Amino acid sequence: MPAGAARADNPVVQTIYTADPAPMVYNGRVYLYTGHDEDGSTYFTMKDWRVFSSADMVNWTDHGSPMSISTFSWASQDAWAGHTVYRNGKFYWYVPVKDRASGQMAIGVGVSTSPTGPFSDALGRPLVRNGEIDPNVFIDDDGQAYLYWGNPNLWYVKLNSDMISYSGSPTQIPLTTAGFGTRTGNASRPTLYEEAPWVYKRGSLYYNVYAAKCCSEYIAYSTAPGPTGPWTFRGTVMPTQGSSFTNHPGIVDFNGGSYFFYHNGALPGGGGFTRSVAVEKFSYNADGTIPVMNMTTTGAPQIGTLNPYVRQEAETIAWESGVETEPSTEGGMNVGFIENGDYIKVKGVGFGSGASSFSARVASAASGGRIELRLGGTGGTLVGTCTVPGTGGWQSWTTVTCPVSGATGTQDLYLRFTGGSGNLFNVNWWQF
């Protein structure tokens, strides 16, 4: 890859195609819940959901797929855009799937006691079903939770405190041009609202950020004095761009900053059905309005540094080339499908006064290879090389250690993999 691309950190995941970001802050990390576009898709062919997390907004850990269509026995297909919230010591993941019995899109709920799952079907049936999609849940200051969803309409219902039942009936939010802007050339859809509502509160103001117009979509927003309106159209958050004809917003505050997540088609092979999640840091204007943002390859700045002297999962990645991840027999995920010249970049590693050795948990059903430890780039300063032996299996794990010299200060670390042809070895974790 050209050096410029190697320095980029957007999209935040490069091992698979991801879509429809739903960020959630929990216990000092941002958890990112996404859809998963299958390689080579020519439609929204989506079979499972994925979870990633980060403490620094640049190095993202892959937690695999804790929920899929098969989680819901009543669902037939379409693992589309969901949203996760934490309440009562549990994590609730609201997702649109196709209901086998009716053939309609319906909203199901997965539940887990861990942010990374596994998730199980909380109800054994849909929570609501009216053929519409894109659930979003907001818990107000008074404890009342609201479920929003809809395309072509916009609906809400008040959730009970158990988060898996509701009071009253689903109610349509009036889609007025004052509330959601004016769309031209589509008599059946007079407003800009398309889909993907993301409702939250900041101060005394309620925000609804959503995908606008079609197709191609952009991101717009409206505000209101209350969680159900009346809404006032406020304008554009992100103009149409980025080689995907859909977009999907998610906004969180984390560690004193505000972050806007979206998707595009920026990866190789990317497009409208092979999308990738990206993120920008932003600051609200003094009057509470959201600034207009454009997609970048830079992404968000790093918060702090990454500590190399504690065990780091190999699937904690700022940027990579050529590798994939898979479930590990030792728990979590490992990096695999490593071939000669592939690499992983870990950004902003705080070596301090210097590292003396490097250890990695590795496995190989082939003859192994080498891990080159380089600083600043794939051709950067070589501070150590670890030899990986054949171990007799892709999940037959052993730990290798090698000396390190010259790794000091804060550096971008590149794990560059070398060896013969074909798949070389797998890596589960590493530590200096």
Side-chain angles (χ1 to χ4, degrees), residues 24 27 57 92 107 110 130 143 155 220 230 235 266 293 315 328 350 372 403 416:
M24 179 191 73
N27 201 23
M57 296 304 296
Y92 297 90
I107 309 300
N130 63 4
W155 299 82
M293 285 173 263
E315 64 274 16
S328 168
E372 296 180 354
R416 185 172 181 270

Side-chain angles (χ1 to χ4, degrees), residues 237-278:
V237 175
M238 178 172 276
T240 301
Q241 55 195 282
S243 67
S244 161
F245 60 84
T246 64
N247 203 341
H248 196 106
I251 291 179
V252 290
D253 287 344
F254 177 62
N255 211 43
S258 298
Y259 295 90
F260 174 70
F261 289 81
Y262 58 96
H263 68 224
N264 58 27
L267 285 186
F273 302 115
T274 42
R275 299 159 294 179
S276 294
V277 170

Side-chain angles (χ1 to χ4, degrees), residues 15 317 320-325 335-338 342-344 417:
T15 49
I317 296 169
E320 61 77 28
S321 177
V323 308
E324 297 180 40
T325 62
V335 170
F337 308 95
I338 293 168
D342 292 350
Y343 69 86
I344 289 171
F417 308 115

Side-chain angles (χ1 to χ4, degrees), residues 118-145:
F119 285 77
S120 59
D121 186 352
L123 284 168
R125 56 174 172 79
L127 172 64
V128 290
R129 183 188 67 210
N130 63 4
E132 301 196 41
I133 59 171
D134 291 357
N136 161 248
V137 171
F138 163 68
I139 303 172
D140 207 348
D141 300 336
D142 62 3
Q144 178 63 58

Side-chain angles (χ1 to χ4, degrees), residues 165-244:
S165 63
Y166 58 82
S167 298
S169 300
T171 302
Q172 271 188 250
I173 291 174
L175 291 177
T176 65
T177 54
F180 295 92
T182 303
R183 186 187 312 216
T184 55
N186 188 336
S188 65
R189 298 189 77 150
T191 79
L192 291 170
Y193 175 82
E194 183 72 22
E195 59 186 354
W198 184 273
V199 178
Y200 64 99
K201 187 180 185 182
R202 182 174 179 268
S204 60
L205 198 59
Y206 295 80
Y207 292 73
N208 186 352
V209 185
Y210 47 88
K213 199 173 75 62
C214 189
C215 287
S216 295
E217 293 174 350
Y218 66 96
I219 304 297
Y221 79 111
S222 305
T223 60
T228 62
W231 295 98
T232 301
F233 180 65
R234 293 296 183 190
T236 298
V237 175
M238 178 172 276
T240 301
Q241 55 195 282
S243 67
S244 161

Side-chain angles (χ1 to χ4, degrees), residues 329-350:
T329 55
E330 296 192 320
M333 305 288 281
N334 64 255
V335 170
F337 308 95
I338 293 168
E339 297 179 292
N340 182 56
D342 292 350
Y343 69 86
I344 289 171
K345 170 190 170 185
V346 186
K347 192 170 182 178
V349 177

